[in-house]
């Protein structure tokens, strides 16, 4: 990027000009794009920006709490929608159906807040690659041109529409956002739900959340695109001399340039052993840990 300082100044001015003395709303996920937009918009219009964080119950360990801490000085709406999401996901096993259920419920929860606060503008963290992908017809991007809501906004503002991801990270650093946000690994919109194969339950999500935390801790200093855990099924194991039927956790750690293709990391065997011992030792419901050595293609990075 040519000049971060200039970009920030211009973006703030643009938001001020567009919103005027109205109100704007943004779906804040804690990802780098929505976080940067939130800080820019807050600097532009202060408390007339309403950042909305929806706790779907599908986030990683500590994420909702960190969002509350980092953005707590703003007019933040923190919506606990965990029960609603788990209820909606009951009995859903098809991966596409799962994504659809989560996406639609998210929009419904978000538009409830938009209506309640009578928001005039929608601010979105759409970045340049999102626009290119949707224009080229590669995939329709939920991020482009506004959510498919019933709520009528006066307009949609996309301050990051000309930036690439690494430029957004640069702006995040410049704005003083913590490293856990500026350098955050990609995390899918549907969250941990796409890391539970089959039906999503609170118990399975809790297991995968704990396992992910262990994988992230153990691979903190390993260069990578993504590293996480997925719950892929059940199998027999032995715990304390009795045979138990417990969960199987798959560890996924890949390098990639853009997420379109990926290669598993050639991890040290002792490191893998330690991860397996920690996961089975610290999470009683898990009896088996495997390491996924499949590149993309043919496998995707996520499991669903
Ligand atoms: P796959 O699993 O398709 O993932 O190989 C490629 C990259 O995209 C991320 N991903 C998502 N990101 N919403 C997102 O914002 C989604 O629904 C989604 N699904 C996958 C994934 O984490 C990987 O980096």
């Amino acid at each position: 990027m040519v000049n971060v300082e200039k970009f920030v100044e211009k973006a703030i001015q643009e938001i001020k000009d567009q919103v005027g003395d109205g109100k704007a709303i943004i779906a804040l996920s804690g990802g780098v794009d929505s976080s940067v937009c939130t800080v820019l918009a807050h600097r532009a219009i202060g408390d007339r920006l309403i950042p909305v964080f929806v706790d779907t119950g599908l986030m990683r360990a500590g994420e909702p709490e960190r969002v509350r801490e980092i953005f707590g000085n703003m007019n933040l709406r923190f919506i606990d929608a965990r029960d609603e999401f788990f209820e909606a996901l009951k009995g859903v096993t098809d991966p596409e159906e799962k994504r659809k259920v989560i996406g639609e419920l998210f929009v419904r929860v978000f538009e409830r807040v938009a209506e309640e606060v009578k928001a005039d503008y929608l601010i979105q963290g759409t970045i340049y690659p999102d626009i290119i992908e949707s224009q080229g017809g590669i995939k329709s991007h939920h991020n482009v041109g506004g959510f498919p809501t019933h709520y009528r906004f006066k307009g949609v503002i996309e301050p990051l529409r000309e930036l690439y991801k690494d430029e957004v990270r640069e702006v995040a650093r410049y704005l003083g956002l913590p490293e856990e946000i500026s350098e955050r690994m990609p995390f899918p919109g549907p969250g941990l739900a796409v890391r539970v194969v089959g039906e999503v339950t609170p118990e399975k999500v809790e297991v995968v959340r704990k396992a992910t935390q262990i994988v992230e801790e153990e691979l903190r200093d390993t260069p990578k695109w993504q590293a996480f855990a997925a719950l892929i099924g059940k199998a027999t194991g032995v715990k304390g001399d009795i045979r138990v039927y417990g969960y199987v956790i798959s560890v996924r750690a890949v390098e990639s340039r853009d997420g379109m293709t990926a290669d598993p990391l050639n991890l040290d065997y002792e490191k893998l052993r330690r991860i397996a011992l920690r996961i089975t030792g610290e999470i009683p419901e898990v009896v088996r840990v495997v390491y996924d050595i499949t590149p993309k293609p043919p496998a995707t990075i996520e499991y669903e």
Side-chain angles (χ1 to χ4, degrees):
M1 187 184 324
V2 199
N3 188 325
V4 186
E5 198 182 334
K6 276 222 175 87
F7 168 82
V8 167
E9 253 173 48
K10 210 178 114 220
I12 292 175
Q13 193 57 47
E14 183 191 55
I15 298 168
K16 270 189 189 157
D17 292 346
Q18 290 207 44
V19 180
D21 52 14
K23 285 188 213 165
I25 192 167
I26 181 168
L28 169 65
S29 67
V32 60
D33 305 339
S34 67
S35 297
V36 165
C37 274
T38 298
V39 174
L40 290 173
H42 184 250
R43 291 199 184 170
I45 59 170
D47 277 355
R48 285 181 292 113
L49 171 77
I50 299 104
V52 180
F53 178 83
V54 179
D55 184 359
T56 58
L58 305 168
M59 306 297 283
R60 286 176 295 185
E63 273 186 322
E65 294 77 12
R66 284 298 286 149
V67 165
R68 237 196 241 265
E69 281 168 25
I70 297 167
F71 301 94
N73 62 328
M74 300 185 187
N75 193 3
L76 175 71
R77 292 292 170 111
F78 188 98
I79 313 290
D80 180 356
R82 288 176 297 179
D83 291 348
E84 253 180 291
F85 276 86
F86 283 122
E87 189 57 38
L89 285 166
K90 260 187 198 158
V92 179
T93 52
D94 178 74
E96 284 311 310
E97 179 66 17
K98 201 186 265 186
R99 283 171 173 273
K100 195 165 154 251
V101 165
I102 295 170
E104 286 177 0
L105 181 53
F106 187 91
V107 171
R108 253 190 289 144
V109 172
F110 185 77
E111 71 189 3
R112 273 205 308 251
V113 185
E115 250 154 51
E116 192 192 309
V117 303
K118 308 227 173 332
D120 303 296
Y121 291 88
L122 173 66
I123 299 187
Q124 288 214 132
T126 315
I127 62 173
Y128 188 60
D130 299 338
I131 293 176
I132 294 300
E133 278 176 2
S134 70
Q135 276 174 355
I138 301 170
K139 57 182 177 193
S140 70
H141 217 287
H142 68 272
N143 254 351
V144 177
F147 280 103
T149 67
H150 298 299
Y151 184 80
R152 288 267 150 249
F153 291 102
K154 287 185 191 157
V156 179
I157 307 172
E158 299 177 318
L160 311 181
R161 63 188 177 277
E162 285 165 12
L163 303 191
Y164 283 98
K165 197 77 175 189
D166 52 336
E167 296 175 317
V168 183
R169 293 192 195 280
E170 221 179 306
V171 177
R173 284 179 219 120
Y174 175 82
L175 293 173
L177 279 160
E179 235 176 65
E180 65 195 271
I181 290 188
S182 64
E183 317 310 315
R184 191 175 186 259
M185 278 190 269
F187 186 63
L192 297 175
V194 291
R195 297 178 183 173
V196 169
V197 174
E199 188 184 8
V200 175
T201 64
E203 186 199 52
K204 290 183 197 167
V205 170
E206 196 46 40
V207 165
V208 91
R209 182 179 288 130
K210 286 186 186 150
T212 294
Q213 193 172 12
I214 294 170
V215 172
E216 285 185 10
E217 279 168 19
E218 291 297 326
L219 299 179
R220 181 152 293 149
D221 300 325
T222 307
K224 60 196 172 289
W225 171 264
Q226 263 170 307
F228 59 86
L231 188 155
I232 59 172
K234 289 193 101 172
T236 299
V238 188
K239 283 208 167 179
D241 288 341
I242 44 166
R243 288 166 76 84
V244 288
Y245 193 50
Y247 293 120
V248 181
I249 286 289
S250 171
V251 175
R252 186 93 166 121
V254 296
E255 50 193 344
S256 172
R257 282 189 63 190
D258 52 11
M260 301 295 281
T261 61
D263 269 312
L265 298 187
N266 184 4
L267 290 179
D268 175 58
Y269 186 72
E270 280 312 311
K271 179 57 97 180
L272 285 168
R273 243 172 74 82
R274 196 180 142 77
I275 292 173
L277 287 177
R278 276 197 64 191
I279 291 176
T280 51
E282 294 173 30
I283 314 171
E285 299 90 337
V286 179
V287 293
R288 201 177 288 255
V289 176
V290 299
Y291 183 49
D292 188 338
I293 54 167
T294 331
K296 172 184 180 175
T300 48
I301 296 177
E302 304 292 343
Y303 277 75
E304 292 208 324

